[in-house]
Amino acid sequence: MRIRGDTQLTGLFGFPVEHTASPPMHNAGFEALGLPWIYLPLKVRPERLRDAVPGTVALGFRGFNVTIPHKQAVIEFLDDVSEAAALIGAVNTVQIDEDGACRGFNTDGRGFVRSLKTEAGFDPTGKVVFVMGAGGAGRAIATQLALEGAARVLIADVDAPRAEALQQSIAQNIATDRVEIVSCDDRAVADALARADAFVNATPLGMRDGDPTSVPTAHLRPQTLCADLIYRPPETPLLAQAKARGCRTLNGLGMLLFQGVEAFELWTGRDAPVDVMRRALHQAVYPTEAP
């Protein structure tokens, strides 16, 4: 990749950012389309976020992604946010207009739904989806599922007030009949799994060796799609057990890909080269495996 006088800048705000796989994915996409753009990881300390946002405008950035710990805090420094970002209460993509206005989006939920449709052939419209975990990712996914027309979004979290806050947000702003809280006791979870067309693990359980699964997999039906937002390891115990029961499975790499694809398309106004970006991301995340 050559840096030129007309190179356009994008990047990622985070702290830390050393782990990110986004630069190879975006830069491969820019190169495939012949765009003189570059994507940079930018380590932004929380106390410098106030300076960093206008700094990108001053430097002529076209946009940037936002990750932990800035997804909520960045909203204060933006000129506008999309409807979905406002409902979710978090921004992961900022588009900078020609006049320097910064508009925030949340492409996490849209990226997840796009991965469901593209990677798993599952359209959530009219379906029942059970989401375990109402934190940042779970909130984005549950909100987007309701916006996409899911018949019912079932939400569970060990932090009951967090689940209730998400349920109230969806009920008040989207539709009261599309969302339901599920208690984390075994009977309620078993009943939810029996009703669900898809189950989504939006908790960190499965990242570490010895983690229990977020739900008892014995209650998964073979026709249920089982998705886990974790992508390291590529197959968590939840996905392995679900596969053994005959379920279709999906890990979180597709969500990571398509949230990036959505951001790429917002910035450039071009259709993203999805296959190129997928290969670059896979190589960055699983360097010893063939894509």
Side-chain angles (χ1 to χ4, degrees), residues 1-41:
M1 180 177 296
R2 293 185 300 168
I3 306 299
R4 311 183 326 199
D6 62 348
T7 295
Q8 303 293 300
L9 302 174
T10 62
L12 171 69
F13 281 17
F15 189 77
V17 290
E18 289 81 359
H19 65 286
T20 180
S22 292
M25 172 176 65
H26 283 286
N27 288 325
F30 296 147
E31 186 173 4
L33 295 187
L35 296 174
W37 290 50
I38 192 168
Y39 185 101
L40 304 167

Side-chain angles (χ1 to χ4, degrees), residues 1 10-12 20-33 37-41 65 92-93 107-108 111 231 252-265 267-268 272-285:
M1 180 177 296
T10 62
L12 171 69
T20 180
S22 292
M25 172 176 65
H26 283 286
N27 288 325
F30 296 147
E31 186 173 4
L33 295 187
W37 290 50
I38 192 168
Y39 185 101
L40 304 167
N65 286 136
N92 79 320
T93 299
T107 67
D108 285 330
Y231 55 87
L253 198 68
M255 176 178 171
L256 181 61
L257 168 66
F258 283 106
Q259 63 78 32
V261 164
E262 292 275 334
F264 184 104
E265 293 175 346
W267 296 329
T268 66
V274 175
D275 290 341
V276 170
M277 293 173 71
R278 180 187 287 110
R279 286 194 295 271
L281 179 62
H282 194 282
Q283 181 61 33
V285 174

